[in-house]
Structure formats: structure tokens, C-alpha cells
């Protein structure tokens, strides 16, 4: 549901999930961020990464959150962490790299 834009509904379902599962935490962060609560989402991403620092999808979403907050340097740090874990050709690296490039060409950097 979160991936299809049904963020409120996704949060209801995810709230019933295992709150120690980094995948659940990541998707709660994803839905929360897309509802405009970026600061709150950061906490979920950080909890997910504390449980599993190798989750590159979480790092991608965290990097996107940093871009929303106007912190491209932190987004680039997450991009570097993704590269260490899955290289520069994995989808999470490519997606965050594209988001950073779009941010920089938008004149926000």
C-alpha cells in the first residue's frame, strides 16, 4: 500500500506488524515521509539500520529524506554506504544517485 500511495492505510497495517523487523520499520518510515513527516521518518530509518545496517533500500529512502531536508551531503554519505554494500549498479544506488542529481540540477544544492 505504501508503494501505491496509500500511506495512511499502509501505516494502519504496518502498526500491527513486528515493530522490531527492519523491513516494517523501513516501510513505516517510507509512508511517514511521504505524508510530509520527514523528521519522524528519520527515526524509523535509523531504527531499521540499527537492526540491519546492510539494508540498502532503507539507506536509499534515508538519503531521499535528507534531500527533502536540504541536506545533500548526508544523502551522499548514504549513497557511499549503499555502494559499499551492493556496488554502483544496484537499483538502490541508481535511484538515490538519480535523486541527488535531480536535486543538484534543481538549484537547491
Amino acid at each position: 500500500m505504501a508503494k501505491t500511495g496509500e500511506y495512511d492505510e499502509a501505516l494502519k497495517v504496518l502498526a500491527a506488524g513486528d515493530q522490531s523487523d527492519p523491513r516494517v520499520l523501513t516501510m513505516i518510515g517510507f509512508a511517514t515521509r511521504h505524508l510530509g513527516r520527514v523528521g519522524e521518518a528519520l527515526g524509523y530509518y535509523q531504527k531499521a539500520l540499527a537492526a540491519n545496517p546492510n539494508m540498502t533500500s532503507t539507506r536509499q529512502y534515508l538519503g531521499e529524506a535528507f534531500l527533502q531536508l536540504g541536506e545533500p551531503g548526508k544523502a551522499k554519505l548514504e549513497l557511499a554506504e549503499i555502494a559499499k554494500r551492493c556496488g554502483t549498479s544496484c537499483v538502490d544506488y541508481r535511484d538515490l544517485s538519480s535523486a541527488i542529481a535531480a536535486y543538484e540540477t534543481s538549484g537547491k544544492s
Side-chain angles (χ1 to χ4, degrees), residues 33-109:
R33 178 170 61 93
H34 280 88
L35 287 170
R37 302 188 325 248
V38 181
E40 184 181 344
L42 293 178
Y44 287 105
Y45 294 145
Q46 290 165 346
K47 286 179 187 176
L49 290 172
N52 183 352
N54 291 318
M55 287 193 60
T56 58
S57 61
T58 307
R59 292 187 178 282
Q60 175 202 336
Y61 300 150
L62 179 58
E64 291 171 356
F66 285 137
L67 293 176
Q68 285 179 268
L69 294 172
E71 299 182 35
K74 289 182 179 180
K76 289 177 183 178
L77 291 174
E78 292 306 321
L79 186 66
E81 290 296 323
I82 293 170
K84 288 180 194 175
R85 288 163 171 80
C86 66
T88 58
S89 61
C90 70
V91 69
D92 296 323
Y93 183 93
R94 289 192 321 261
D95 287 351
L96 182 55
S97 180
S98 293
I100 291 169
Y103 178 88
E104 290 176 338
T105 59
S106 72
K108 293 180 182 179
S109 60

